[in-house]
Amino acid sequence: MTDTMEQQIVRGISQAELDQFNRDGYTIARGLFDAEEIERFREHYMQLNAEGTHDGDYAGVEGGGEFDPLKRYPRMIHMHRWDDLSREFLLDPRVFDALNALLGGDPYAVQTMLYFKPPGARGQAVHQDNFYLRAEPSTCCAAWLALDVCDADNGALMVVPGSQTWPLLCTVKADTSASFTDVTVPLPEGVSPVTMTMQPGDMLFFNGQVVHGSTPNSTDDRFRRSLIGHYIQGDAEKVSKFYSPMLRRDGSEYAIGISEGGGSCGVWVDRDGVPVIEDQGLEGNTLEHE
């Protein structure tokens, strides 16, 4: 099979990338956005930050103290609702084509986020995105665009391969000295996240059940900026109210049912020396924005 034929099998994603997504729950589309586009994004969001607060800028930053770098560079949320470039990114045909290939059909776009992660900033404890989005009965998917070189030193994203097969895990309290959020999920012994080393313009796609997070930015002079779109699979019947209304590929709005807080979650138990997830059937993990 030639490279051209392989690329034609699925739009925007190679067969190798599709195979990895199905096997591991994630894949990286290298160089999906070019250098000029990345520079435009960097300049745009640094300017928005310099202008002051916008809706959602300070959401979810726990602790850190007066001199926390994230107080100066808080994450931005739902920018597509008021910023044209963010909306353009969220609805970019390349992203939709890739997601169509990975998910087997067009998704719905529900959220934009921008992480600045300046030098010295805390990371985010490992978690699952669908804990927040509550897409039912399927799940969500993230499209995570690197705006800077991302490596272990500046707190690159880390994922747990294969965790897309896990249900939502019951959450526990995170260490807010290292994480700007206070929610995390435990991992069994011997299971560790893998660092996603990326270049500007690379886009990481990962399933909403995939456990992921990041460590602090330990550098003195490097940002780890990332622009993210969140999407839910086209067969979803419900989503958390915070993410409604959704957008179709053409930008038109679409509404489905609203998921309530809480729901079933699983915990790790040992069965004959093998860690397995046991459904606790718990109702309760209600979020402030639900």
Side-chain angles (χ1 to χ4, degrees):
M1 181 182 296
T2 67
D3 290 343
T4 300
M5 292 174 63
E6 182 179 275
Q7 290 292 341
Q8 289 174 345
I9 291 175
V10 288
R11 294 181 300 165
I13 287 291
S14 72
Q15 185 65 52
E17 291 165 341
L18 177 59
D19 290 344
Q20 183 185 31
F21 185 83
N22 290 333
R23 180 184 67 248
D24 298 330
Y26 72 90
T27 194
I28 299 176
R30 301 289 182 183
L32 192 63
F33 287 74
D34 64 34
E36 184 176 341
E37 293 174 300
I38 294 303
E39 184 59 29
R40 181 187 181 201
F41 285 138
R42 282 196 294 248
E43 291 180 355
H44 179 74
Y45 290 109
M46 293 299 279
Q47 179 59 41
L48 287 183
N49 173 266
E51 292 173 359
T53 60
H54 302 274
D55 289 345
D57 285 7
Y58 291 92
V61 178
E62 304 287 344
E66 180 182 356
F67 300 106
D68 183 358
L70 294 177
K71 295 295 194 299
R72 182 178 177 189
Y73 292 101
R75 63 177 175 171
M76 305 178 77
I77 297 177
H78 280 340
M79 306 88 69
H80 67 282
R81 294 183 176 177
W82 49 268
D83 176 59
D84 289 341
L85 185 59
S86 299
R87 182 183 176 91
E88 179 183 319
F89 162 76
L90 185 66
L91 300 176
D92 191 289
R94 292 166 293 182
V95 179
F96 259 87
D97 285 351
L99 288 166
N100 183 291
L102 296 171
L103 304 177
D106 267 4
Y108 297 114
V110 298
Q111 186 183 43
T112 43
M113 302 180 75
L114 191 289
Y115 285 89
F116 291 97
K117 201 163 191 179
R122 289 170 292 162
Q124 184 173 10
V126 293
H127 61 283
Q128 295 164 296
D129 282 348
N130 208 39
F131 169 77
Y132 297 96
L133 277 77
R134 310 278 179 171
E136 301 175 15
S138 50
T139 190
C140 56
C141 189
W144 198 100
L145 178 65
L147 301 185
D148 297 292
V149 172
C150 302
D151 53 36
D153 291 337
N154 67 354
L157 201 69
M158 304 184 300
V159 305
V160 177
S163 55
Q164 80 279 7
T165 63
W166 300 352
L168 288 181
L169 298 170
C170 299
T171 58
V172 296
K173 183 77 172 177
D175 176 8
T176 54
S177 68
S179 170
F180 74 85
T181 58
D182 63 356
V183 171
T184 190
V185 295
L187 295 176
E189 185 176 351
V191 174
S192 300
V194 176
T195 299
M196 299 289 102
T197 302
M198 299 169 65
Q199 296 296 314
D202 293 347
M203 178 168 274
L204 172 68
F205 295 95
F206 57 94
N207 181 290
Q209 305 299 112
V210 166
V211 174
H212 64 286
S214 67
T215 56
N217 182 345
S218 61
T219 70
D220 296 326
D221 57 358
R222 290 199 291 134
F223 277 78
R224 193 231 63 184
R225 290 163 290 199
S226 54
L227 178 58
I228 303 131
H230 281 118
Y231 305 80
I232 63 172
Q233 292 184 224
D235 60 350
E237 298 174 359
K238 292 182 179 181
V239 70
S240 176
K241 183 179 180 181
F242 186 64
Y243 304 92
S244 184
M246 310 176 301
L247 299 178
R248 298 184 181 92
R249 178 190 282 259
D250 64 5
S252 60
E253 292 187 356
Y254 184 72
I256 56 176
I258 300 300
S259 298
E260 302 299 329
S264 178
C265 64
V267 298
W268 292 101
V269 297
D270 185 291
R271 289 185 183 164
D272 299 323
V274 178
V276 297
I277 299 173
E278 185 175 90
D279 187 359
Q280 297 298 291
L282 298 178
E283 299 285 337
N285 290 321
T286 303
L287 307 174
E288 290 185 4
H289 57 248
E290 291 184 334

